[in-house]
Structure formats: C-alpha cells, structure tokens
Amino acid sequence: MGLHPTGGDGEYVGRCQHCVSVREREAPMHMYSVVVDVAWWDPEDAAISGALSRAPFPLVPQWVGHSATVGAEVSAESPEDALALLSKTLSDAGLQIVGFGAGLVSISDIAEELDGSGETVRLWAAGLRRDDFPARFAQVGQSQVWAWSEVFDWAIRHGYDVPQSPQPIPLRALERANGRLADRNLVAV
C-alpha cells in the first residue's frame, strides 16, 4: 500500500490509488459452474462450434433429442458477472439462451455428494434431524428435488467437505437471470 505526498510540504496523508498494487485493487475471482438450456442447433454447424471452441473458458455442449445444453465453469468476480459473461459468449456464438438450469438434485444425489446415506438426507429434508435444511425446489414425479446451490451453501455452513470450486451459481441469481430472459421473450412476442 502506498502513501503519496499531497503537497509541497511532502506530508503523507493516506492511501494513493496510484500506489496501490494492481492485486490489491482487483476483486477476488471465483469459479462458478452452470448449465444453460439453449435452442437446439446442429452439432455439425462449423461456425457455432468454432465460436464455442474460442470461448475464454471451457464449454461443454450436449444434445439429447431436440434439446441442447451448454455446461460451463466461468471465472468471475460475482455470480451475476459469470452469468453475463456466459450469456455474451453464447450469444456471440449465435446461440439463443432458453434458460439457466438450477442444478436440481435428488435425495440420492445429495447423499452421494455429501458422502452420506439416503436415509440421513431424507431425515434432514423432513426436519427430523436438522431444522434448517433447504426447502425442496420441486416435486418431479415421485421424487423431491433441491437446487444444488442451496444444498451446497447449507453443507458449507455445516462443515461438510464439499469442493469449494467451482461454486454453483446461487438460486436467486439464476432466478433473476431467468426472469430477465422471460421478460425479453414477452417483449419480443
């Protein structure tokens, strides 16, 4: 941290932004993980494939039937910055974003990620073993599902050994981004 003279008398009065190292001025970067639903495109489209391969971070496209997703791990200062960078990258490549995935996980998925049993997770979810487990996100058929970002945050708070990087994008940030997409689609109609 530098001190800088403020006048002819050479008295130092505080931090000078010109003397502060670049490292001190930069916000810390985090690695975020997200899956994006995109409008289907032909995997043989050389222009889109080429643009995706030149992205500033790895992208993993997947096709199932007529659905397509792109997975990414994006380094950014905030979840919102990660979503903005990913959105711009996909848009510049010619892809239309349909929505950002919430990373839904089942009881068995949670048990596997946290090295626990399905019964323990079921008890957490029912409030019988811990009263602060995240609320389920949805019911899919006979299964309850949670947003991984909320379970991840809960696990960190409770000392579970989960990899801190990449972090899932928080559910609230995903919901805001999906809301903006929905608003744009309404205006376009």
Side-chain angles (χ1 to χ4, degrees), residues 11-156:
E11 182 180 326
Y12 288 33
V13 296
R15 292 171 50 127
C16 170
Q17 288 303 311
H18 300 289
C19 298
V20 176
S21 74
V22 171
R23 175 174 281 171
E24 288 179 72
R25 279 184 274 167
E26 291 177 352
M29 300 295 272
H30 302 280
M31 185 65 70
Y32 295 99
S33 175
V34 65
V35 175
V36 183
D37 294 319
V38 295
W40 191 88
W41 84 94
D42 185 348
E44 303 297 320
D45 186 317
I48 291 176
S49 295
L52 293 178
S53 70
R54 292 186 298 276
F57 42 84
L59 298 171
V60 180
Q62 294 184 324
W63 296 267
V64 176
H66 286 286
S67 296
T69 61
V70 176
E73 291 184 358
V74 182
S75 181
E77 291 179 18
S78 70
E80 292 77 12
D81 289 345
L83 291 172
L85 179 57
L86 179 56
S87 295
K88 180 174 179 359
T89 300
L90 295 179
S91 178
D92 288 352
L95 295 178
Q96 178 189 357
I97 296 174
V98 175
F100 296 95
L104 301 180
V105 291
S106 66
I107 285 177
S108 61
D109 296 328
I110 296 167
E112 183 177 328
E113 288 293 329
L114 300 182
D115 290 329
S117 71
E119 181 61 15
T120 297
V121 176
R122 189 190 70 71
L123 292 171
W124 292 339
L128 299 174
R129 191 161 286 173
R130 296 199 186 252
D131 59 3
D132 63 341
F133 193 74
R136 72 177 178 176
F137 183 80
Q139 181 92 19
V140 179
Q142 296 295 319
S143 298
Q144 298 179 59
V145 291
W146 287 261
W148 171 243
S149 64
E150 294 196 332
V151 175
F152 176 88
D153 289 343
W154 178 89
I156 297 294

